[in-house]
Amino acid sequence: MSTDKKELIMKTAISLFSEKGYEGTSIRDLAQKADVNIAMINYYFGSKEKLFEAIVEEKVQHIRGRIENLENDKNLSEIEKIDLIIEAYVDRFLSYPDFHKVMEQEMLVSHRKDMHQKVIEVVTQNISNFTKIIEKGIRKKVFKKVDAPLLFASIVGTIHQVLKSKQICCVYIFKESNKDFNPYADEQFRKRLVTHIQQMVHSTLLQS
């Protein structure tokens, strides 16, 4: 039950931070929406800032571990690793769009220097591991010589653009005006986005 309550608090916090911003969300707001008491939030997390840190730690470390495992996997080719990284990023971003909206807001305002630095360190490590895969493919003459950090930015930037606005995504990508339609939960769209990014990266990377 304690794990369920912690997850509920974190999930509710992400929703409120996305809707009202970190600064605009109070512990009282969170307790009311999660239907828990303030003492429980303080017991599990200590403060709103510590709660935010716990959310970031849980979400960003998952993708970091995934990339590290792929980079060290000797049974996969370099292009297979890149394809799986793309799948992992699309799956993670589309599964938690509110969290990534919160993170984008946080990176822009940067009120919490320790948190900002922690996120930068994780992202930097992800880029470093991605670059190692690219460089290995170049050495094998499987990949063209490319700017790996900018290629990484192109992958993540494409996903970010899709997440910018659910309404724009519906109208321009789906031609769908139904306000209740959620493109991020649509499995066909997820596959479509993965395939598009993989094709874009393949054309940039692979030797003809």
Side-chain angles (χ1 to χ4, degrees):
M1 180 62 74
S2 61
T3 302
D4 291 344
K5 286 293 185 183
K6 285 180 71 174
E7 289 179 354
L8 172 63
I9 292 167
M10 293 169 76
K11 183 177 180 180
T12 305
I14 291 170
S15 176
L16 282 174
F17 291 161
S18 173
E19 178 186 345
K20 303 172 70 174
Y22 175 86
E23 305 297 343
T25 301
S26 68
I27 289 290
R28 187 175 298 278
D29 293 333
L30 176 56
Q32 184 175 3
K33 186 159 185 177
D35 195 23
V36 299
N37 56 52
I38 293 174
M40 180 176 289
I41 298 173
N42 290 331
Y43 172 77
Y44 285 130
F45 301 102
S47 66
K48 185 173 74 167
E49 187 160 333
K50 291 296 183 184
L51 166 60
F52 193 18
E53 288 179 8
I55 291 169
V56 172
E57 188 75 20
E58 179 190 75
K59 300 298 184 190
V60 301
Q61 291 299 340
H62 175 89
I63 197 73
R64 177 177 178 173
R66 179 72 174 133
I67 294 178
E68 286 177 347
N69 289 339
L70 286 170
E71 197 263 316
N72 293 318
D73 193 326
K74 299 185 185 304
N75 297 315
L76 296 170
S77 69
E78 280 63 48
I79 195 61
E80 286 173 332
K81 292 177 183 181
I82 297 299
D83 281 348
L84 288 171
I85 288 172
I86 292 168
E87 286 183 21
Y89 264 92
V90 170
D91 181 69
R92 204 68 182 168
F93 276 54
L94 266 60
S95 294
Y96 304 100
D98 285 348
F99 170 72
H100 292 286
K101 180 180 177 182
V102 171
M103 288 308 302
E104 187 173 15
Q105 293 169 350
E106 179 64 19
M107 295 302 286
L108 285 172
V109 297
S110 188
H111 288 315
R112 285 153 290 284
K113 291 183 180 179
D114 289 346
M115 175 67 67
H116 193 83
Q117 186 58 38
K118 182 180 290 187
V119 174
I120 287 174
E121 287 172 2
V122 173
V123 172
T124 300
Q125 187 60 52
N126 288 348
I127 295 172
S128 175
N129 288 327
F130 178 87
T131 299
K132 288 176 184 177
I133 298 171
I134 298 296
E135 289 175 345
K136 190 171 183 179
I138 293 171
R139 288 195 300 272
K140 289 182 175 181
K141 301 189 183 303
V142 176
F143 293 164
K144 303 171 190 173
K145 290 184 179 180
V146 297
D147 189 322
L150 279 179
L151 183 60
F152 182 89
S154 297
I155 292 169
V156 175
T158 300
I159 305 170
H160 268 304
Q161 186 61 35
V162 167
L163 291 176
K164 284 280 187 184
S165 167
K166 186 166 72 172
Q167 185 176 3
I168 290 175
C169 185
C170 287
V171 173
Y172 286 97
I173 298 178
F174 275 91
K175 311 299 182 185
E176 173 65 69
S177 59
N178 182 1
K179 292 182 180 179
D180 295 327
F181 177 69
N182 180 8
Y184 309 136
D186 186 90
E187 188 60 31
Q188 289 301 114
F189 176 60
R190 191 168 302 208
K191 291 177 181 177
R192 180 181 168 190
L193 182 57
V194 167
T195 299
H196 169 74
I197 298 173
Q198 287 175 344
Q199 288 173 342
M200 179 177 65
V201 171
H202 284 205
S203 66
T204 301
L205 276 180
L206 295 177
Q207 298 281 6
S208 55

